[in-house]
Structure formats: C-alpha cells, structure tokens
Amino acid sequence: MTREEALDSVKANVENANLVKHMLATEAIMHALAKRLGEDEEEWGLTGLLHDIDVELTEGDMNTHSRLGADLARELGASEAIAHAILCHNEAHGVPLEAKLDKALFCADPLTGLIIAAALVRPDKKLANLEANSVKKRFKEKSFAAGADREQIARCSEIELELDEFIELGLKAMQGIAADLGL
Ligand SMILES: [Fe+2]
C-alpha cells in the first residue's frame, strides 16, 4: 500500500474534512517521531494516517471503533504492526499497548487536538507563529481543549520522550504541513 492509496481510502471513508486533517496531523507527528526514534518512518506515518479511518463508519460506537479500522487497514495491505497499533489506540477494547508503535500512536493522537486548539485561539489562527512554550502553557490549563487528554499525551514518557520535547516535535511536524491543515 502506498501513502497515496492510504490517503485515498481515508478520504473515501471519511467525509468530515476536519477528521481527515486530524489524521494528516497525526501522520506528520508519527513520521517525526519515527525519525527521532530511529524507527520506520513510512510505517509509522501510515499508522497515523489510517488510525481513525473507521471513525464515521462506526458512528461513535467505541465497541467497534478501531476494530473495524484495524480490519480496513489490513485489507489495504497494512502490516500487522500497523493494524495492532490502530486496534489498541481505542482503550475500550482493553488491548494493552505493547510495541513502541502502539505507544507512539496513543500519545500522538490527542496532541494534535491540543496544538490545533492552541493555534485557533491566536489572533491570526495560524500554526506558523505558534510557539512551543505557548502549547506547553496550554497543556497545563486543564479546561483548555479539555478533550485533548493530558494524561494520554504525557505517556510519551513510555517512548522515552520528555513532554517538552514531544510538544516541540509535534508542533514542528504540524507546522510543516500547515497548508494541508488549512492553519
Ligand atoms: Fe485520532
């Protein structure tokens, strides 16, 4: 499966443009994490890109979300490692995070929401001038973008990254695709 095929399939299954952008943002962070950690950039990027492919098909049903996504990824030809990371990013299944790839997806997923929210409260609503320090401050404000689970983001410690570095890396990765994110 090429990256283009994966993106086409995401777009075929997800109508909401913001959800597609969330997957592009997660892809960018996963790609940067793989680079930083010396892992497979292509595989980690695809994991981020595909991770919520079933989000509209499962209509918010947490018992099927990510199980169907893992199946769809397999059908597209994704590796078992990718399918497993997708499956366990939804805690409702109770499948433990095992591989580094599982752990990376789990903490990268909510970081995208925090960074997007931090950009949107700026006067220019742009990622380009958003500073990592301001995202770090927002991280500590529990009521800000409360849906971005801080404990989940902080589990970057499980892939041996300090929170500050993780936020910096995530922001830089998303800034690199700002045009695709429309931010
Ligand atoms: Fe997600």
Side-chain angles (χ1 to χ4, degrees), residues 22-23 26 51-52 65 89 105 109-110 112:
H22 163 63
M23 283 180 264
T26 310
H51 84 278
D52 277 337
H65 169 53
H89 96 274
L105 177 63
D109 187 9
T112 65

Coordinates of all heavy atoms in Angstrom, one line a residue, residues 22-23 26 51-52 65 89 105 109-110 112, ligand 1:
H22 N -7.2 15.8 11.0 CA -6.7 15.2 12.2 C -5.8 14.0 11.9 O -4.7 13.8 12.5 CB -7.8 14.7 13.1 CG -7.5 13.8 14.2 ND1 -6.6 14.1 15.2 CD2 -7.8 12.5 14.4 CE1 -6.4 13.0 16.0 NE2 -7.1 12.0 15.5
M23 N -6.2 13.2 10.9 CA -5.3 12.1 10.5 C -4.0 12.5 9.8 O -3.0 11.9 10.1 CB -6.2 11.1 9.7 CG -7.1 10.3 10.6 SD -8.1 9.1 9.7 CE -9.6 10.0 9.5
T26 N -1.8 13.7 12.6 CA -1.3 12.5 13.4 C -0.2 11.8 12.5 O 0.9 11.4 13.1 CB -2.4 11.5 13.7 OG1 -3.5 12.2 14.3 CG2 -1.9 10.4 14.7
H51 N -5.3 5.8 11.3 CA -5.7 5.3 12.6 C -7.2 5.5 12.9 O -7.8 4.8 13.6 CB -4.9 5.9 13.7 CG -5.3 7.2 14.2 ND1 -4.9 8.4 13.5 CD2 -6.0 7.7 15.2 CE1 -5.3 9.4 14.1 NE2 -6.1 9.0 15.2
D52 N -7.8 6.6 12.3 CA -9.3 6.8 12.5 C -10.1 6.6 11.3 O -11.2 7.2 11.1 CB -9.5 8.2 13.0 CG -9.3 8.4 14.5 OD1 -9.4 7.3 15.3 OD2 -9.0 9.5 15.0
H65 N -15.2 1.0 17.1 CA -14.2 1.9 16.6 C -12.8 1.3 16.8 O -12.5 0.8 17.9 CB -14.3 3.2 17.3 CG -13.1 4.1 17.0 ND1 -12.7 4.4 15.8 CD2 -12.3 4.8 17.9 CE1 -11.6 5.2 15.9 NE2 -11.3 5.4 17.1
H89 N -5.3 1.7 20.0 CA -5.4 3.2 20.4 C -6.7 3.5 21.0 O -6.9 4.5 21.6 CB -5.0 4.1 19.2 CG -6.2 4.6 18.4 ND1 -6.8 3.9 17.3 CD2 -6.8 5.8 18.4 CE1 -7.7 4.6 16.8 NE2 -7.8 5.7 17.5
L105 N 1.4 6.0 18.7 CA 0.1 6.5 18.2 C -0.8 6.9 19.4 O -1.4 7.9 19.2 CB -0.5 5.3 17.5 CG -1.9 5.7 16.9 CD1 -1.9 6.8 15.9 CD2 -2.6 4.4 16.3
D109 N -2.0 10.9 19.1 CA -3.4 11.2 18.7 C -4.0 12.5 19.4 O -4.4 13.4 18.8 CB -4.2 9.9 19.1 CG -5.6 9.9 18.6 OD1 -6.0 10.8 17.9 OD2 -6.4 9.0 19.0
P110 N -3.9 12.5 20.8 CA -4.5 13.7 21.4 C -3.7 15.0 21.3 O -4.2 16.1 21.5 CB -4.7 13.3 22.9 CG -3.7 12.2 23.1 CD -3.5 11.5 21.8
T112 N -2.5 16.3 18.7 CA -2.9 17.1 17.5 C -4.0 18.1 17.9 O -4.0 19.2 17.5 CB -3.5 16.2 16.4 OG1 -4.6 15.5 16.8 CG2 -2.4 15.1 16.0
Ligands
FE1 FE -7.4 10.1 16.4

